[in-house]
Amino acid sequence: MSSSKAALKAAKSALDNHKYSEAAQEAQNVLNADPTNYHANVFLGLALDKQDKSGEAENAYDAAARSKSNDPLVWQGKITLYEKQAGKKIDQYHHATLRLAEYFTAVDDITKCQTVVDKYVGFVKKHGTRTQYRNALELMLPTSSLYSYLEGRFPNPAYTYTKVVEIVEAEERERINKEIGERRTRLGAKIGEVTTEVKREVLEGSSLENLYGCIIDWTSDDDLRRVYEEKVLYRAYETLAVLPLQQKDKKRAQVTKLAEGLVILKHPNALAWKIALEWRDVETIDTLDAGLLREYCELFPDDGLSKVLKGYLASEVSPFPIPPKPAAVEENEDGDGTPLTAEDRLLLMTEGADESSRSVLSQRLMGEYFLYLDEYSSAVECSKRARHLIGLETQLCGLPFQENLDAVNVILATALVQYESPRNHPEAKDIYDKILQRKPTNTSALIGVGLILEEEEDYMGAAEYLTRALSRTLDVKVKVESAWCRALNGDYAHSLAELESCLPDLEKPDVKTKALKSQTLYRTGVCLWHLDTSKAARRDRNGAYARFLAALQANLNYAPPYTSLGVYYADYAKDKKRARKCFQKAFELSASEVEAAERLARAFADQREWDLVEVVAQRVVDSGKVRPPPGSKRKGLSWPFAAIGVYQLNSQDYAKSVASFQAALRISPEDYHCWVGLGESYHNSGRYIAATKAFEKAQSLVVAADQVQAEDTWFSKYMLANVRRELGDYDEATTGYEEVLTSRPTELGVAIALVQTHVESAWRSLELGFLGRAADSAAKAVIVAKELVKHRPDSFNLWKAVGDACSMFSIMQTYTQEFPIKDVCSILQWNMVPEMFDQLADIDLLDHEALQLIYTKEDSSTSIRKCLQAAILAQKRLIHTCVHDIHAQAVAWYNLGWTEYRAHSTLENHLPGVSKRKAPQYLKASVRCFKRAIELEAGNSEFWNALAVVTTQLNPKVSQHAFIRSLYLNDKSAKVWTNLGTLYLLQKDNQLANEAFTRAQSTDPDYTHAWLGQGILALLLGEANEARGLFAHAFEIADSSSIITKRLYASSTFDYLLSQNSSHPIADLLQPLFALHQLMSQTSTDLVLEHLSALFSERVGAVTETIETLTSVCTALEAEYEISESSQSLAHFAQAKADLARAHLAAHDFSSAAASAETALDLSADDDSGTPNPAGRHKYRLSAHLTAGLAYHYTKALDRAIAMFRTALEETDGSPDAVCILAQVLWAKGGKEEREVAREQLFDCVEKHPDHAGAIILLGVIAILDDDVDTLEAVKTDLQALRIREDIDTSEQRKIAGLLAALAASSIGEDVGESTGAAEMAEAKTALMLAPGQPHGWSQLAELTEEAFPSDMALLTALRAVPPRGNVAAEDLALTFGGTGRRANAQRAVMVAPWVVVGWEGLVGG
């Protein structure tokens, strides 16, 4: 024990001498012996503190405090330690200060106690955080254990609480901002929801309200108290706003209590007063405290709500009396003490409403005031805004505010009844119905529903609601409306008495009373007007007329009396001028005066003032009167939309006119005229299908009901015919026009349309290849034009149609005999003046005298010339009719130019003796025409193109310039590019021609002539196959009127057929044959085409047609030769005879075949030197020899036949085909010598032509008949080599297979050990392997095996090889059907080829 004391003394001495390490060692020695020694721990802590060993020192002090906590040394040591560490150990410092202060309190040392606390608070303020400072300040608050001892020495608690509040407010602001910033970045987070959530979390755990209360309790400053009372209110209000609905009641009660307290004290806090005013749920304004409202105005004179209240309380609509004191005198904005006028009051209230746009009371008061002023749009706007604000207030405080909401809804519904009536009636009625469900006796709702039903023409229902309202109000306006509803329901007498009983109550001088009086007087006039409907009563100026005038005297701005006076003046006084003024005045005052608007619109329409019609109709549409509300009995008004549609139709705004007529038809779906207008709009906008449906609907309305006068229905028929004409349904269109002309023969426009339709139908039929139909349509056009010219000889379209009809007959040359020349001449001579035909008469020699020649000359050979000359004269007449219209005149010259050029290309190009240096008359005339057209309209690319075409041969440079000019004006024209390419082609510039044709194809891939140009160019370059493909493509996309397309396609196809050795399916020949048939109908005099057509007919087996065509060709060629005696005509005639002989042979007319062949041989017997085509001469002479030989053979004149064949062999230098025919004839003669000659000829032929299949096959047949083994061996080898060649066609393969099968069956040349059946089977299998897709191998196998499968496969392959997929003939297909052995297939064999026996045998045997 003594050693410990000595050590403590040593430690104390070392501390005093500043030997801190020694002191620490001595203290540690003591602690080693006694760890709980208080003084040793204190000395150790102090020594370590001096050595800046803060952690170890604190541990030593803690150990000392555990040993003896009520001693001040340890706490003083710790405070000293903590002060040296600045702000690191403030929390521990707080604990040490509290313990030390409690010690000084215990020993009653107040000075040291205060010093310790003050020193700590100052230290924390300097070094600590806000939270640590707040904790330090809490030591000085009444809640601290030290406050009772140091009270009086501490500052006033209100001051300290203020410091704490400032710190807490800053902390909460930072926390709120931090949390919002972190949470708003989360996925799906919304800033509003995040803000509310964060504020709710912070405010629910906040102590600020308590702190504010403490300040209020401890402060002696009334101003400061009011400040913090406001803060409490704001804090509670803010908390209320973020609380969930189920937690709002308690907080709302607190807020209300706080606000009422401030209001009682008349403290000017805006929030408190607005809570007191805005949170009052009242049905009417008069239940509010007027004194409270006026006090608010005094406290907040510049507030927006205050301005509204000032104006409202001083207005006529206010339910509160103005207090009789000078303070009630309102001041204007200048504050000069003068009362506010009504205008100034409205300005003040409007300004206040804008400033208090978040105030429910402000918007409600403004809605009532605007309703009083009949400013319904503003009332609607204010009441809707008030409804929205009520919803926000309900969401904020949790109160439903049902009374306020009902009051605002009444204002809204009442305004909606009048605003844009009746558009908003459904919304207003829905509002009233909801109010009446809760309050069945609500007067305003009853009146409102009654007015809506009145507008919907449910007058009994309206009267019922208004009567219910009258039981609760004495308002005379309601009484007037109730009586008026009964009047509208037809009870005019009773209603008149009620209305007149209301007049004595309407003598007040105010504006509203005068307006109601005017309305009542007008309604009494209406009752009088309907009580006696006689003309005398209505003309009586002391009756209804006087009431209407009295109504206007009461109110000049009341519109309905003007309408009634307008009806009076229009229908009874016959004063249209006054009537129109009345209607205009009525419509100016109110767009709801629909009758006045309709009469105005009709008057403007009669005067063609369409702009005014549109203005009137559009204003009616905007008024909302046209469409009845849903469920209303009132009919809608379709005429405004129809009128707008007519205006838009006249303005060529077709899309809008469609919409307008559709809107009209939604209201009146049975309106005939609207359907017609809709159809016309669709027609003009190119929507022809829709137009057709519209006009058909209009026609169905006419048929269904006699609602439309008969004379008004023709237009829909006419327009329907126009639509069908646009759609290409010309038959229906002409029928429609004819029906219209039947009922209205004087409608010349319809007749012109009928003429044009016939012409368009003719052109369309021509394009489709229906030439007869085209001729009929053109003739009908002339017949209609004959009648039309008597009434409209100056019609541009008439002469254009006549000219086109005449020109059309020149295209269909086989129908020129049907050309109505007399009718055309009659048309041209109608009202004729010689000067009409003088244009270019000096060039084309066609004037009025030529017209006489056309009419009198009956030579049928000049029919084409007559058609073209008549067309030219019609186009000249066209020019005469449009001398005053430059554009039309340019078009007329253009049309005349093409007609002249058609005459040139059709007539003069084929006339002999025309000089090549001198341009023909029609060509020169066409050049002049196109130049004249260009002079009149130089910007038309078509005119330049036409000039270029007609000058192609005359002057290529001019032509090129015109083409370039046309392309400059329109470089997207494929026709011009093609024409330019043709010019380059004629000038032998193939590269430029190819570029032009390519450009034309890229511009319009469906333009036929561009492909033709490319094909001709390919021919010139030697690409025959490519040319044929191009011609075929052009033929596929061309219409049937193109002559050159069919000509080139047919000729290229025939050239291709000649170049191929194998036969072709008939399907490949049908298209060119049909093309030639049409071509011959268009060009009846082209013998080359007729001859080519006969050759195609021969190849398809049309023998009779071939004979007829070739006979006609021979007759024409013979006549031509007799005139010209040219070698070319003679050669052509000889070739035609040779072809005719071949056709007679196919028809089994052997004598005629022999005669024609002999004629051909005689005509071509001369030397080749004078023949235009020596190679062709050799071919048709060979054909004639062979034909004659076969004809003689079949007539049993074998010697002559052999002689012909021998001659053919001599002329053809041993043609293998001729050798084969000669061998067959010699063998048929039957003599030994002749058969030997046949063998020799065949051996020689095979030697010279080892690849000729026919000769080898014949030689094999003869060898089989002669049992010539050696020959058979050689033939068999050749046949086996032939059968695998690719150039052998199917028929020859079949012959080879049959011959080899016959060789196998005869067992000639086979090995001894091989049976006959096996050899046949081997040959059949070989044929099947070589050609599995052909039926002959399967047929052989079926015959050998007699099984069903090979016969079925033979039938299947035969069906797949029929034309156009193959060349299996009908006979072969019938044999295949019969080979199956089934009765059904036997029937099919008979159907396919009834001349084949196998089918009939199958039927008999089966």
Side-chain angles (χ1 to χ4, degrees), residues 261-278:
L262 291 174
V263 170
I264 291 172
L265 295 174
K266 293 183 175 56
H267 181 66
N269 179 266
L271 178 61
W273 282 87
K274 288 185 178 180
I275 290 173
L277 295 178
E278 302 281 356

Side-chain angles (χ1 to χ4, degrees), residues 659-711:
S660 298
F661 283 119
Q662 286 177 338
L665 287 169
R666 292 189 190 100
I667 299 173
S668 300
E670 303 299 319
D671 192 325
Y672 166 81
H673 296 287
C674 288
W675 280 109
V676 173
L678 178 62
E680 189 172 358
S681 301
Y682 278 136
H683 170 263
N684 292 336
S685 59
R687 299 166 65 180
Y688 300 121
I689 301 299
T692 301
K693 294 180 180 179
F695 287 126
E696 288 176 347
K697 178 64 176 179
Q699 289 295 308
S700 67
L701 293 176
V702 175
V703 174
D706 296 331
Q707 62 163 334
V708 186
Q709 296 181 358
E711 59 269 16

Side-chain angles (χ1 to χ4, degrees), residues 1060-1273:
Q1060 302 296 313
N1061 295 325
S1062 59
S1063 60
H1064 291 268
I1066 295 177
D1068 294 344
L1069 309 176
L1070 293 180
Q1071 270 196 329
L1073 179 60
F1074 291 152
L1076 286 169
H1077 283 178
Q1078 284 189 346
L1079 196 55
M1080 288 190 299
S1081 298
Q1082 294 176 262
T1083 56
S1084 59
T1085 59
D1086 197 327
L1087 299 178
V1088 175
L1089 293 179
E1090 287 190 53
H1091 196 167
L1092 184 60
S1093 174
L1095 295 178
F1096 273 107
S1097 299
E1098 179 187 13
R1099 278 162 173 76
V1100 300
V1103 179
T1104 303
E1105 180 182 347
T1106 305
I1107 293 173
E1108 292 175 355
T1109 305
L1110 288 174
T1111 302
S1112 174
V1113 170
C1114 290
T1115 303
L1117 288 172
E1118 185 176 6
E1120 180 182 335
Y1121 177 72
E1122 289 177 355
I1123 296 173
S1124 63
E1125 295 185 355
S1126 65
S1127 59
Q1128 183 175 0
S1129 298
L1130 181 62
H1132 192 180
F1133 179 51
Q1135 184 177 358
K1137 276 293 186 179
D1139 295 338
L1140 179 60
R1142 194 167 58 250
H1144 281 305
L1145 180 65
H1148 295 179
D1149 187 358
F1150 304 121
S1151 59
S1152 299
S1156 296
E1158 291 285 2
T1159 303
L1161 292 172
D1162 293 340
L1163 293 175
S1164 58
D1166 294 340
D1167 194 291
D1168 291 348
S1169 58
T1171 303
N1173 185 8
R1177 174 180 176 274
H1178 290 165
K1179 289 182 180 180
Y1180 69 72
R1181 280 186 63 82
L1182 173 60
S1183 173
H1185 281 299
L1186 296 177
T1187 302
L1190 290 173
Y1192 289 136
H1193 168 70
Y1194 287 114
T1195 56
K1196 306 303 181 182
L1198 297 181
D1199 293 335
R1200 299 189 65 181
I1202 294 172
M1204 281 294 175
F1205 291 137
R1206 292 186 183 277
T1207 307
L1209 287 175
E1210 294 174 359
E1211 291 196 4
T1212 60
D1213 195 16
S1215 172
D1217 293 326
V1219 170
C1220 291
I1221 296 174
L1222 177 58
Q1224 293 178 59
V1225 173
L1226 289 173
W1227 190 271
K1229 190 173 182 181
K1232 183 177 181 180
E1233 182 179 352
E1234 286 80 1
R1235 293 188 176 185
E1236 185 64 30
V1237 172
R1239 292 191 191 94
E1240 293 177 359
Q1241 291 290 337
L1242 287 174
F1243 278 119
D1244 292 340
C1245 180
V1246 171
E1247 183 179 357
K1248 294 179 180 179
H1249 304 282
D1251 295 333
H1252 194 272
I1256 297 174
I1257 292 171
L1258 279 178
L1259 192 58
V1261 172
I1262 292 174
I1264 291 176
L1265 295 175
D1266 290 342
D1267 293 335
D1268 189 349
V1269 178
D1270 296 333
T1271 304
L1272 284 176
E1273 288 291 343

